[in-house]
Amino acid sequence: MTPEFWVAVGQIIMIDILLGGDNAVVIALACRKLPPAQRTKGILWGTAGAIVLRVILIFFALTLLAIPFLKMVGALLLVWIGVKLLAPEHDDAHGNIAGSDKLWAAVKTVIVADLVMSVDNVIAIAGAAQGAGDGHQMPLVIFGLLVSIPIIVWGSQLVIKLMDRFPMIITLGGMLLGWIAGTMLISDPAVVRLDAWTWVPKIPQTDTVKYAAGIIGAVLVLLIGKWMASRNAAKAHAPV
């Protein structure tokens, strides 16, 4: 019950609020086409799988942070996921696909996307927990993960309702993934550390560079997504 403990608690809650919203957007985008009766299942199963992966990741957080090129790969995956969400494949027979198939496809998308996006989240929580002392680190980490569950579940349900009313949110959500991809890529140890991997060009870690990378990533996802969406539409209307 020390001040350091409560400071760490406050930091973890803020991290979950700031970073959990991104995961909520991913869950909402992945589950938006599910029938209303299955949306809650998709959200709950996807969140459960994501939380389990976070628990596993937390034990490797510091090691993952030091691995070069990991964030680069994650950034490319996020761009791909963002593009696929902006330009989904057209379903045959007017989308009459078995509900279970669509449910587990959405769950898989949630888990993969959350795995990619959770590296920074988990490391941030671990860093905040370290300020409370050795004896409280793991309890605080578990607390942080528990706090993230209602934030993600409630947030994703809210975003789904908003997307039904304002389809533009889907585009903004895809661009958000591109923004995260851009900022993740330039923070990779391979381009940050001057004393290692000298053959890799280094990127200055300034706010200007960070914002520029985020904007480039968002625009890239938007352009590729719109191009693929128009191509898919042309294929769907092409004569057989």
Side-chain angles (χ1 to χ4, degrees), residues 184-221:
M184 179 184 292
L185 188 146
I186 66 164
S187 65
D188 189 283
V191 299
V192 171
R193 290 185 54 184
L194 300 176
D195 60 335
W197 309 289
T198 55
W199 55 274
V200 178
K202 306 305 176 184
I203 300 177
Q205 299 298 299
T206 64
D207 288 341
T208 302
V209 172
K210 177 181 178 181
Y211 292 136
I215 292 172
I216 292 172
V219 173
L220 182 65
V221 168

Side-chain angles (χ1 to χ4, degrees), residues 12 32 40 46 121 132 143 179 234 239:
I12 289 174
R32 74 182 189 277
T40 300
N121 189 305
F143 171 80
W179 174 280

Side-chain angles (χ1 to χ4, degrees), residues 2-211:
T2 62
E4 291 80 8
F5 177 87
W6 291 110
V7 168
V9 168
Q11 289 176 341
I12 289 174
I13 292 176
M14 285 301 297
I15 289 169
D16 280 317
I17 292 174
L18 293 173
L19 301 182
D22 298 337
N23 303 79
V25 170
V26 170
I27 292 174
L29 287 170
C31 298
R32 74 182 189 277
K33 288 192 172 183
L34 292 176
Q38 290 191 340
R39 284 181 177 177
T40 300
K41 291 182 180 179
I43 291 170
L44 291 178
W45 280 108
T47 302
I51 294 299
V52 170
L53 285 177
R54 289 192 192 192
V55 173
I56 296 172
L57 277 178
I58 202 69
F59 291 102
F60 302 97
L62 296 178
T63 302
L64 288 172
L65 187 63
I67 295 177
F69 309 111
L70 178 68
K71 288 187 176 182
M72 292 184 183
V73 174
L76 294 176
L77 284 173
L78 276 181
V79 168
W80 178 77
I81 291 171
V83 169
K84 293 292 285 184
L85 290 172
L86 287 181
E89 296 291 336
H90 290 277
D91 295 330
D92 294 330
H94 305 288
N96 292 327
I97 297 177
S100 60
D101 293 339
K102 297 178 72 174
L103 172 64
W104 291 112
V107 170
K108 182 179 71 172
T109 299
V110 169
I111 293 176
V112 171
D114 195 88
L115 173 63
V116 174
M117 297 174 62
S118 291
V119 175
D120 288 343
N121 189 305
V122 168
I123 292 170
I125 291 175
Q130 288 177 353
D134 294 336
H136 301 298
Q137 287 184 17
M138 283 312 298
L140 273 173
V141 166
I142 295 173
F143 171 80
L145 293 172
L146 291 176
V147 169
S148 70
I149 295 175
I151 292 174
I152 293 174
V153 172
W154 177 83
S156 60
Q157 292 175 331
L158 174 63
V159 173
I160 282 178
K161 293 178 181 178
L162 289 174
M163 285 194 304
D164 286 340
R165 188 170 182 180
F166 306 105
M168 180 64 183
I169 295 177
I170 298 172
T171 300
L172 296 177
M175 293 179 68
L176 175 62
L177 293 181
W179 174 280
I180 297 170
T183 55
M184 179 184 292
L185 188 146
I186 66 164
S187 65
D188 189 283
V191 299
V192 171
R193 290 185 54 184
L194 300 176
D195 60 335
W197 309 289
T198 55
W199 55 274
V200 178
K202 306 305 176 184
I203 300 177
Q205 299 298 299
T206 64
D207 288 341
T208 302
V209 172
K210 177 181 178 181
Y211 292 136

